[in-house]
Amino acid sequence: MASHLVLITQWISIVVIVLISLKVKPSESQCYPQIFNTQKLNNPRLVQAQAALEAWTHSITSDPNKITSTWSGPNVCNYTGIYCAPAPDDSTVYTVAGIDLKDANIAGSLPEDLGLLTDLHFFHINSNRFSGSLPNSFTKLSFLYELDISSNQFSGPFPQVVLAIPSLRYLDIRFNNFAGDVPSRLFDLKLDALFINNNRFQFTLPQNFGNSPVSVMVLSNNDIKGSIPSSVAKMKDTLNEIIISNTGLTGPLPKEIGYLDKVTVFDVSFNKLEGELPGSMQGMKSLEQLNLKHNNLSGVVPTSICMLPKLEHFDCSDNDFHGPLPECLFIQPKHNRENS
């Protein structure tokens, strides 16, 4: 496993260096014409990639900008939106390392043939009109590091296939029509960023919620039952931003959130949270934005809020707090429900 991770790290470095040095995608480079001319004739990886992309064109129902019109012939590295780089296990062989079709206004689905792109590092098709779900063949993409299918029309249950992609670190499936339960195993993945907001998921935050090592997590605009588990404290070493607004969260804020001393954004607005703010919040010393708006929180806003050295925005409006708010120079007073 360790050697596998080292291999991935080395390959990512190669991809980044190639992209930066060329300042264009490798497929458009004039620096290596002989490499590409040779590779297209005898490189089985690019032959396989050509088959996968050709199959994908048959699953595309609308391409008004004619992005995929260049997807023909053996020179796969010249296809629009296709990025080539040295293979992770053989730097002398070029392979398809990434796909970026964001904002292309393409409609269609994803065929199982995409599993042939076994060297793929990133797959970005955000802001299109793709529908259906993720192919089960994505389990073969053992090097896939970034998966962004946000702002499309995907539907059905949570795409379980993402749980079996070993190298995945960035998962963005927000703004789709996925529905139903979210598997607790999602929070055991070694992700750095997780965006599942603006779908139709219905689930409860599991007890292993705190196992997630993400730096950014956004779960907003889904139907989440129950409260924030106390295991959130386990995220203290990695978590920077957490947004769980407009989900239906209930219960009090756990005192364990006070351990989140690296969190800069904490947004649980538009929920059904109740009870008093835990005094432990003074431990959230990196907080820049704290949004508690539109809940059922009560009691007095503790003066310890004023001790948060980096706080720039604090909104506790539309709650059941009583008494005056602490007079902090950097906080603009908000109206409580009883005064509105």
Side-chain angles (χ1 to χ4, degrees), residues 194-255:
L194 173 63
F195 302 90
I196 66 170
N197 52 293
N198 293 82
N199 279 284
R200 296 186 291 116
F201 292 124
Q202 295 177 306
F203 66 109
T204 300
L205 296 181
Q207 286 305 308
N208 67 324
F209 177 70
N211 289 354
S212 180
V214 294
S215 61
V216 179
M217 177 185 289
V218 185
L219 311 179
S220 303
N221 299 304
N222 285 294
D223 184 3
I224 301 179
K225 307 296 184 184
S227 57
I228 300 176
S230 59
S231 65
V232 69
K234 296 168 64 176
M235 305 171 80
K236 66 178 299 294
D237 293 328
T238 58
L239 190 63
N240 297 132
E241 299 183 17
I242 183 166
I243 303 176
I244 319 179
S245 60
N246 192 34
T247 62
L249 278 177
T250 58
L253 287 171
K255 65 180 184 301

Short mmCIF file of all heavy atoms in Angstrom, two decimals, residues 194-255:
data_model
loop_
_atom_site.label_atom_id
_atom_site.label_comp_id
_atom_site.label_asym_id
_atom_site.label_seq_id
_atom_site.Cartn_x
_atom_site.Cartn_y
_atom_site.Cartn_z
N LEU A 194 -14.85 17.30 0.49
CA LEU A 194 -16.09 16.56 0.25
C LEU A 194 -17.23 17.55 0.06
O LEU A 194 -17.54 18.34 0.95
CB LEU A 194 -16.39 15.64 1.43
CG LEU A 194 -17.75 14.91 1.40
CD1 LEU A 194 -17.83 13.98 0.20
CD2 LEU A 194 -17.96 14.13 2.70
N PHE A 195 -17.86 17.50 -1.12
CA PHE A 195 -19.01 18.35 -1.43
C PHE A 195 -20.16 17.46 -1.92
O PHE A 195 -20.09 16.92 -3.03
CB PHE A 195 -18.66 19.36 -2.53
CG PHE A 195 -17.50 20.26 -2.22
CD1 PHE A 195 -16.20 19.88 -2.56
CD2 PHE A 195 -17.69 21.47 -1.59
CE1 PHE A 195 -15.12 20.71 -2.27
CE2 PHE A 195 -16.62 22.30 -1.30
CZ PHE A 195 -15.34 21.92 -1.64
N ILE A 196 -21.20 17.32 -1.09
CA ILE A 196 -22.37 16.56 -1.52
C ILE A 196 -23.63 17.42 -1.36
O ILE A 196 -24.75 16.90 -1.40
CB ILE A 196 -22.53 15.24 -0.73
CG1 ILE A 196 -22.82 15.51 0.74
CG2 ILE A 196 -21.29 14.36 -0.89
CD1 ILE A 196 -23.21 14.25 1.51
N ASN A 197 -23.45 18.70 -1.21
CA ASN A 197 -24.58 19.60 -0.99
C ASN A 197 -25.49 19.73 -2.21
O ASN A 197 -25.12 19.40 -3.33
CB ASN A 197 -24.08 21.00 -0.59
CG ASN A 197 -23.05 21.57 -1.54
OD1 ASN A 197 -21.93 21.05 -1.65
ND2 ASN A 197 -23.40 22.63 -2.26
N ASN A 198 -26.70 20.20 -1.95
CA ASN A 198 -27.69 20.45 -3.01
C ASN A 198 -28.01 19.21 -3.83
O ASN A 198 -27.98 19.21 -5.05
CB ASN A 198 -27.23 21.60 -3.91
CG ASN A 198 -27.20 22.93 -3.17
OD1 ASN A 198 -26.22 23.21 -2.46
ND2 ASN A 198 -28.23 23.73 -3.31
N ASN A 199 -28.33 18.15 -3.10
CA ASN A 199 -28.90 16.95 -3.68
C ASN A 199 -30.19 16.67 -2.92
O ASN A 199 -30.77 17.57 -2.32
CB ASN A 199 -27.92 15.78 -3.60
CG ASN A 199 -26.87 15.81 -4.70
OD1 ASN A 199 -27.15 15.48 -5.84
ND2 ASN A 199 -25.65 16.22 -4.35
N ARG A 200 -30.66 15.43 -2.94
CA ARG A 200 -31.88 15.08 -2.21
C ARG A 200 -31.60 13.92 -1.25
O ARG A 200 -32.44 13.05 -1.06
CB ARG A 200 -33.00 14.74 -3.20
CG ARG A 200 -33.42 15.94 -4.05
CD ARG A 200 -34.63 15.65 -4.93
NE ARG A 200 -34.31 14.70 -5.99
CZ ARG A 200 -34.85 13.49 -6.11
NH1 ARG A 200 -35.73 13.07 -5.22
NH2 ARG A 200 -34.51 12.70 -7.12
N PHE A 201 -30.43 13.94 -0.66
CA PHE A 201 -30.05 12.89 0.29
C PHE A 201 -30.88 13.01 1.56
O PHE A 201 -31.22 14.11 2.01
CB PHE A 201 -28.57 12.98 0.62
CG PHE A 201 -27.66 12.63 -0.53
CD1 PHE A 201 -26.69 13.52 -0.96
CD2 PHE A 201 -27.77 11.41 -1.17
CE1 PHE A 201 -25.85 13.20 -2.01
CE2 PHE A 201 -26.93 11.07 -2.23
CZ PHE A 201 -25.97 11.97 -2.65
N GLN A 202 -31.18 11.87 2.16
CA GLN A 202 -31.87 11.80 3.44
C GLN A 202 -31.08 10.84 4.33
O GLN A 202 -31.06 9.64 4.09
CB GLN A 202 -33.31 11.29 3.26
CG GLN A 202 -34.20 12.23 2.45
CD GLN A 202 -35.59 11.65 2.25
OE1 GLN A 202 -35.74 10.53 1.76
NE2 GLN A 202 -36.60 12.41 2.61
N PHE A 203 -30.44 11.37 5.35
CA PHE A 203 -29.60 10.52 6.18
C PHE A 203 -29.35 11.17 7.54
O PHE A 203 -29.73 12.31 7.78
CB PHE A 203 -28.28 10.23 5.48
CG PHE A 203 -27.36 11.42 5.28
CD1 PHE A 203 -26.19 11.54 6.01
CD2 PHE A 203 -27.67 12.42 4.36
CE1 PHE A 203 -25.34 12.62 5.83
CE2 PHE A 203 -26.83 13.49 4.16
CZ PHE A 203 -25.66 13.60 4.90
N THR A 204 -28.73 10.41 8.40
CA THR A 204 -28.33 10.88 9.72
C THR A 204 -26.81 10.86 9.78
O THR A 204 -26.18 9.92 9.29
CB THR A 204 -28.89 9.95 10.82
OG1 THR A 204 -30.32 9.94 10.74
CG2 THR A 204 -28.47 10.42 12.21
N LEU A 205 -26.23 11.88 10.35
CA LEU A 205 -24.77 11.89 10.48
C LEU A 205 -24.36 10.73 11.38
O LEU A 205 -24.77 10.66 12.54
CB LEU A 205 -24.29 13.23 11.07
CG LEU A 205 -24.54 14.47 10.21
CD1 LEU A 205 -24.00 15.71 10.91
CD2 LEU A 205 -23.91 14.33 8.83
N PRO A 206 -23.54 9.80 10.87
CA PRO A 206 -23.19 8.60 11.64
C PRO A 206 -22.16 8.89 12.73
O PRO A 206 -21.53 9.95 12.75
CB PRO A 206 -22.61 7.68 10.57
CG PRO A 206 -22.00 8.63 9.58
CD PRO A 206 -22.90 9.82 9.54
N GLN A 207 -21.99 7.93 13.61
CA GLN A 207 -21.04 8.10 14.71
C GLN A 207 -19.60 8.19 14.21
O GLN A 207 -18.75 8.77 14.88
CB GLN A 207 -21.19 6.93 15.71
CG GLN A 207 -22.44 7.02 16.57
CD GLN A 207 -22.54 8.34 17.30
OE1 GLN A 207 -21.59 8.76 17.99
NE2 GLN A 207 -23.67 9.02 17.19
N ASN A 208 -19.32 7.62 13.04
CA ASN A 208 -17.96 7.70 12.50
C ASN A 208 -17.74 8.99 11.70
O ASN A 208 -16.74 9.12 10.99
CB ASN A 208 -17.66 6.48 11.62
CG ASN A 208 -18.48 6.45 10.35
OD1 ASN A 208 -19.64 6.84 10.34
ND2 ASN A 208 -17.90 5.99 9.25
N PHE A 209 -18.67 9.92 11.80
CA PHE A 209 -18.59 11.20 11.10
C PHE A 209 -17.21 11.84 11.31
O PHE A 209 -16.60 12.35 10.36
CB PHE A 209 -19.69 12.11 11.64
CG PHE A 209 -19.68 13.51 11.07
CD1 PHE A 209 -20.02 13.74 9.75
CD2 PHE A 209 -19.36 14.60 11.87
CE1 PHE A 209 -20.04 15.04 9.22
CE2 PHE A 209 -19.36 15.89 11.37
CZ PHE A 209 -19.71 16.11 10.04
N GLY A 210 -16.71 11.81 12.51
CA GLY A 210 -15.44 12.44 12.84
C GLY A 210 -14.22 11.74 12.28
O GLY A 210 -13.10 12.27 12.39
N ASN A 211 -14.40 10.58 11.68
CA ASN A 211 -13.26 9.87 11.08
C ASN A 211 -12.78 10.55 9.81
O ASN A 211 -11.66 10.29 9.36
CB ASN A 211 -13.65 8.43 10.74
CG ASN A 211 -13.82 7.56 11.97
OD1 ASN A 211 -13.56 8.00 13.09
ND2 ASN A 211 -14.29 6.34 11.78
N SER A 212 -13.61 11.39 9.23
CA SER A 212 -13.24 12.03 7.96
C SER A 212 -12.08 12.99 8.16
O SER A 212 -12.13 13.88 9.02
CB SER A 212 -14.44 12.78 7.38
OG SER A 212 -14.10 13.39 6.17
N PRO A 213 -11.02 12.87 7.35
CA PRO A 213 -9.86 13.74 7.48
C PRO A 213 -9.92 14.97 6.58
O PRO A 213 -8.90 15.57 6.27
CB PRO A 213 -8.71 12.82 7.07
CG PRO A 213 -9.32 11.97 6.00
CD PRO A 213 -10.76 11.77 6.38
N VAL A 214 -11.12 15.36 6.13
CA VAL A 214 -11.25 16.44 5.16
C VAL A 214 -10.82 17.79 5.75
O VAL A 214 -10.88 18.01 6.96
CB VAL A 214 -12.71 16.57 4.66
CG1 VAL A 214 -13.11 15.35 3.86
CG2 VAL A 214 -13.67 16.82 5.81
N SER A 215 -10.42 18.68 4.86
CA SER A 215 -10.19 20.07 5.26
C SER A 215 -11.42 20.91 4.99
O SER A 215 -11.66 21.91 5.68
CB SER A 215 -8.97 20.65 4.51
OG SER A 215 -9.20 20.66 3.11
N VAL A 216 -12.22 20.49 3.99
CA VAL A 216 -13.45 21.20 3.65
C VAL A 216 -14.58 20.18 3.49
O VAL A 216 -14.42 19.17 2.80
CB VAL A 216 -13.30 21.99 2.33
CG1 VAL A 216 -14.62 22.70 1.98
CG2 VAL A 216 -12.17 22.99 2.42
N MET A 217 -15.71 20.46 4.15
CA MET A 217 -16.89 19.60 4.02
C MET A 217 -18.12 20.46 3.88
O MET A 217 -18.37 21.36 4.70
CB MET A 217 -17.03 18.68 5.24
CG MET A 217 -18.28 17.79 5.20
SD MET A 217 -18.51 16.83 6.71
CE MET A 217 -17.18 15.63 6.56
N VAL A 218 -18.92 20.20 2.83
CA VAL A 218 -20.17 20.93 2.62
C VAL A 218 -21.28 19.91 2.39
O VAL A 218 -21.23 19.13 1.42
CB VAL A 218 -20.09 21.91 1.43
CG1 VAL A 218 -21.37 22.73 1.34
CG2 VAL A 218 -18.88 22.83 1.57
N LEU A 219 -22.29 19.92 3.28
CA LEU A 219 -23.39 18.96 3.22
C LEU A 219 -24.73 19.66 3.05
O LEU A 219 -25.78 19.01 3.07
CB LEU A 219 -23.43 18.12 4.50
CG LEU A 219 -22.13 17.47 4.98
CD1 LEU A 219 -22.38 16.69 6.27
CD2 LEU A 219 -21.56 16.55 3.92
N SER A 220 -24.75 20.95 2.86
CA SER A 220 -25.96 21.77 2.90
C SER A 220 -27.03 21.34 1.90
O SER A 220 -26.75 20.68 0.90
CB SER A 220 -25.59 23.23 2.64
OG SER A 220 -24.64 23.68 3.56
N ASN A 221 -28.26 21.80 2.21
CA ASN A 221 -29.40 21.60 1.30
C ASN A 221 -29.65 20.14 0.97
O ASN A 221 -29.85 19.77 -0.19
CB ASN A 221 -29.23 22.44 0.03
CG ASN A 221 -29.16 23.92 0.34
OD1 ASN A 221 -30.06 24.49 0.95
ND2 ASN A 221 -28.08 24.57 -0.08
N ASN A 222 -29.61 19.31 2.01
CA ASN A 222 -30.06 17.94 1.97
C ASN A 222 -30.97 17.75 3.18
O ASN A 222 -31.21 18.69 3.93
CB ASN A 222 -28.87 16.97 2.04
CG ASN A 222 -28.11 16.89 0.72
OD1 ASN A 222 -28.62 16.42 -0.28
ND2 ASN A 222 -26.86 17.36 0.73
N ASP A 223 -31.48 16.56 3.37
CA ASP A 223 -32.35 16.27 4.52
C ASP A 223 -31.57 15.42 5.51
O ASP A 223 -31.43 14.21 5.32
CB ASP A 223 -33.60 15.54 4.03
CG ASP A 223 -34.62 15.29 5.15
OD1 ASP A 223 -34.36 15.73 6.30
OD2 ASP A 223 -35.65 14.65 4.88
N ILE A 224 -31.04 16.08 6.53
CA ILE A 224 -30.22 15.39 7.52
C ILE A 224 -30.96 15.36 8.86
O ILE A 224 -31.33 16.40 9.40
CB ILE A 224 -28.85 16.07 7.70
CG1 ILE A 224 -28.10 16.08 6.36
CG2 ILE A 224 -28.02 15.34 8.75
CD1 ILE A 224 -26.74 16.76 6.43
N LYS A 225 -31.18 14.17 9.38
CA LYS A 225 -31.85 14.00 10.66
C LYS A 225 -30.83 13.95 11.79
O LYS A 225 -29.67 13.62 11.59
CB LYS A 225 -32.67 12.70 10.67
CG LYS A 225 -33.63 12.55 9.50
CD LYS A 225 -34.71 13.61 9.52
CE LYS A 225 -35.71 13.36 8.40
NZ LYS A 225 -36.74 14.44 8.31
N GLY A 226 -31.29 14.26 13.00
CA GLY A 226 -30.43 14.13 14.16
C GLY A 226 -29.47 15.29 14.34
O GLY A 226 -29.65 16.36 13.76
N SER A 227 -28.44 15.05 15.12
CA SER A 227 -27.53 16.13 15.52
C SER A 227 -26.11 15.85 15.05
O SER A 227 -25.81 14.81 14.46
CB SER A 227 -27.56 16.26 17.04
OG SER A 227 -27.22 15.02 17.66
N ILE A 228 -25.24 16.81 15.34
CA ILE A 228 -23.82 16.65 15.01
C ILE A 228 -23.19 15.72 16.05
O ILE A 228 -23.23 16.01 17.25
CB ILE A 228 -23.10 18.01 15.01
CG1 ILE A 228 -23.73 18.93 13.96
CG2 ILE A 228 -21.62 17.82 14.74
CD1 ILE A 228 -23.15 20.34 13.96
N PRO A 229 -22.60 14.60 15.64
CA PRO A 229 -22.01 13.67 16.60
C PRO A 229 -20.83 14.27 17.34
O PRO A 229 -20.11 15.14 16.81
CB PRO A 229 -21.56 12.50 15.72
CG PRO A 229 -22.31 12.65 14.43
CD PRO A 229 -22.51 14.12 14.25
N SER A 230 -20.62 13.81 18.55
CA SER A 230 -19.49 14.29 19.35
C SER A 230 -18.16 13.91 18.72
O SER A 230 -17.12 14.53 19.01
CB SER A 230 -19.58 13.73 20.78
OG SER A 230 -19.57 12.31 20.76
N SER A 231 -18.18 12.92 17.83
CA SER A 231 -16.93 12.50 17.18
C SER A 231 -16.34 13.59 16.30
O SER A 231 -15.21 13.46 15.82
CB SER A 231 -17.17 11.24 16.34
OG SER A 231 -18.06 11.50 15.26
N VAL A 232 -17.08 14.70 16.10
CA VAL A 232 -16.56 15.82 15.30
C VAL A 232 -15.22 16.30 15.85
O VAL A 232 -14.40 16.86 15.12
CB VAL A 232 -17.59 16.97 15.25
CG1 VAL A 232 -17.73 17.63 16.61
CG2 VAL A 232 -17.23 18.00 14.18
N ALA A 233 -14.99 16.08 17.13
CA ALA A 233 -13.74 16.51 17.76
C ALA A 233 -12.52 15.86 17.10
O ALA A 233 -11.42 16.43 17.09
CB ALA A 233 -13.76 16.18 19.26
N LYS A 234 -12.70 14.67 16.53
CA LYS A 234 -11.59 13.95 15.90
C LYS A 234 -11.10 14.63 14.63
O LYS A 234 -10.05 14.30 14.10
CB LYS A 234 -12.01 12.52 15.59
CG LYS A 234 -12.34 11.70 16.83
CD LYS A 234 -13.02 10.39 16.49
CE LYS A 234 -12.15 9.47 15.68
NZ LYS A 234 -12.81 8.15 15.44
N MET A 235 -11.87 15.64 14.16
CA MET A 235 -11.50 16.33 12.92
C MET A 235 -10.62 17.55 13.19
O MET A 235 -10.31 18.32 12.29
CB MET A 235 -12.77 16.76 12.18
CG MET A 235 -13.73 15.60 11.91
SD MET A 235 -15.35 16.13 11.28
CE MET A 235 -14.94 16.41 9.56
N LYS A 236 -10.21 17.74 14.41
CA LYS A 236 -9.52 18.96 14.82
C LYS A 236 -8.21 19.21 14.08
O LYS A 236 -7.82 20.36 13.87
CB LYS A 236 -9.24 18.94 16.33
CG LYS A 236 -8.25 17.88 16.80
CD LYS A 236 -7.98 17.96 18.29
CE LYS A 236 -7.38 19.26 18.73
NZ LYS A 236 -6.04 19.50 18.21
N ASP A 237 -7.53 18.19 13.66
CA ASP A 237 -6.21 18.38 13.04
C ASP A 237 -6.28 18.74 11.55
O ASP A 237 -5.29 19.19 10.98
CB ASP A 237 -5.35 17.13 13.21
CG ASP A 237 -4.97 16.90 14.66
OD1 ASP A 237 -4.83 17.89 15.40
OD2 ASP A 237 -4.85 15.71 15.05
N THR A 238 -7.43 18.52 10.91
CA THR A 238 -7.51 18.72 9.47
C THR A 238 -8.60 19.70 9.04
O THR A 238 -8.45 20.36 8.01
CB THR A 238 -7.77 17.39 8.74
OG1 THR A 238 -8.99 16.80 9.24
CG2 THR A 238 -6.62 16.43 8.98
N LEU A 239 -9.70 19.80 9.78
CA LEU A 239 -10.87 20.54 9.31
C LEU A 239 -10.65 22.05 9.32
O LEU A 239 -10.27 22.63 10.34
CB LEU A 239 -12.08 20.19 10.16
CG LEU A 239 -13.43 20.69 9.65
CD1 LEU A 239 -13.76 20.07 8.29
CD2 LEU A 239 -14.54 20.38 10.66
N ASN A 240 -10.91 22.69 8.16
CA ASN A 240 -10.83 24.15 8.03
C ASN A 240 -12.19 24.80 7.80
O ASN A 240 -12.43 25.90 8.30
CB ASN A 240 -9.91 24.54 6.88
CG ASN A 240 -8.48 24.11 7.09
OD1 ASN A 240 -7.86 23.53 6.21
ND2 ASN A 240 -7.94 24.38 8.27
N GLU A 241 -13.05 24.15 7.04
CA GLU A 241 -14.37 24.71 6.75
C GLU A 241 -15.42 23.61 6.81
O GLU A 241 -15.23 22.54 6.23
CB GLU A 241 -14.42 25.35 5.36
CG GLU A 241 -13.45 26.51 5.18
CD GLU A 241 -13.59 27.17 3.81
OE1 GLU A 241 -14.63 26.94 3.14
OE2 GLU A 241 -12.67 27.89 3.41
N ILE A 242 -16.53 23.89 7.50
CA ILE A 242 -17.64 22.95 7.54
C ILE A 242 -18.94 23.73 7.40
O ILE A 242 -19.18 24.69 8.13
CB ILE A 242 -17.63 22.10 8.83
CG1 ILE A 242 -18.77 21.08 8.80
CG2 ILE A 242 -17.66 22.96 10.08
CD1 ILE A 242 -18.64 20.00 9.86
N ILE A 243 -19.75 23.35 6.42
CA ILE A 243 -21.01 24.03 6.14
C ILE A 243 -22.11 22.99 6.06
O ILE A 243 -22.11 22.12 5.18
CB ILE A 243 -20.93 24.83 4.82
CG1 ILE A 243 -19.76 25.83 4.88
CG2 ILE A 243 -22.24 25.55 4.54
CD1 ILE A 243 -19.54 26.59 3.59
N ILE A 244 -23.05 23.06 7.02
CA ILE A 244 -24.18 22.13 7.07
C ILE A 244 -25.45 22.97 7.25
O ILE A 244 -26.17 22.83 8.23
CB ILE A 244 -24.04 21.10 8.21
CG1 ILE A 244 -22.60 20.59 8.33
CG2 ILE A 244 -24.98 19.93 7.99
CD1 ILE A 244 -22.40 19.59 9.46
N SER A 245 -25.71 23.85 6.33
CA SER A 245 -26.87 24.75 6.44
C SER A 245 -28.08 24.16 5.72
O SER A 245 -27.95 23.41 4.76
CB SER A 245 -26.53 26.11 5.84
OG SER A 245 -26.18 26.00 4.47
N ASN A 246 -29.27 24.51 6.24
CA ASN A 246 -30.54 24.13 5.62
C ASN A 246 -30.65 22.63 5.41
O ASN A 246 -30.90 22.14 4.30
CB ASN A 246 -30.72 24.86 4.29
CG ASN A 246 -32.14 24.74 3.76
OD1 ASN A 246 -33.10 24.69 4.53
ND2 ASN A 246 -32.29 24.69 2.45
N THR A 247 -30.49 21.89 6.49
CA THR A 247 -30.57 20.43 6.40
C THR A 247 -31.58 19.82 7.36
O THR A 247 -31.97 18.67 7.17
CB THR A 247 -29.20 19.79 6.70
OG1 THR A 247 -28.83 20.12 8.05
CG2 THR A 247 -28.14 20.28 5.74
N GLY A 248 -31.98 20.53 8.41
CA GLY A 248 -32.89 19.97 9.40
C GLY A 248 -32.20 19.43 10.64
O GLY A 248 -32.81 18.73 11.45
N LEU A 249 -30.91 19.72 10.81
CA LEU A 249 -30.19 19.30 12.01
C LEU A 249 -30.94 19.70 13.27
O LEU A 249 -31.48 20.81 13.36
CB LEU A 249 -28.80 19.93 12.05
CG LEU A 249 -27.67 19.28 11.24
CD1 LEU A 249 -26.41 20.12 11.37
CD2 LEU A 249 -27.41 17.85 11.69
N THR A 250 -30.96 18.82 14.26
CA THR A 250 -31.62 19.10 15.54
C THR A 250 -30.63 18.92 16.69
O THR A 250 -29.47 18.57 16.47
CB THR A 250 -32.82 18.16 15.74
OG1 THR A 250 -32.35 16.80 15.70
CG2 THR A 250 -33.86 18.36 14.65
N GLY A 251 -31.13 19.14 17.89
CA GLY A 251 -30.31 18.96 19.07
C GLY A 251 -29.40 20.13 19.34
O GLY A 251 -29.34 21.09 18.56
N PRO A 252 -28.63 20.06 20.42
CA PRO A 252 -27.69 21.14 20.73
C PRO A 252 -26.39 20.97 19.96
O PRO A 252 -26.09 19.90 19.44
CB PRO A 252 -27.46 20.95 22.23
CG PRO A 252 -27.59 19.46 22.43
CD PRO A 252 -28.67 19.01 21.46
N LEU A 253 -25.62 22.05 19.89
CA LEU A 253 -24.27 21.95 19.35
C LEU A 253 -23.42 21.21 20.37
O LEU A 253 -23.40 21.58 21.55
CB LEU A 253 -23.69 23.34 19.10
CG LEU A 253 -24.26 24.11 17.91
CD1 LEU A 253 -23.76 25.56 17.92
CD2 LEU A 253 -23.89 23.43 16.60
N PRO A 254 -22.70 20.18 19.97
CA PRO A 254 -21.89 19.44 20.95
C PRO A 254 -20.73 20.28 21.45
O PRO A 254 -20.15 21.07 20.69
CB PRO A 254 -21.40 18.24 20.14
CG PRO A 254 -21.38 18.71 18.72
CD PRO A 254 -22.55 19.65 18.60
N LYS A 255 -20.42 20.11 22.71
CA LYS A 255 -19.32 20.89 23.29
C LYS A 255 -18.00 20.57 22.60
O LYS A 255 -17.05 21.35 22.64
CB LYS A 255 -19.21 20.62 24.79
CG LYS A 255 -18.84 19.20 25.18
CD LYS A 255 -18.75 19.05 26.70
CE LYS A 255 -18.28 17.66 27.13
NZ LYS A 255 -19.14 16.58 26.65
#
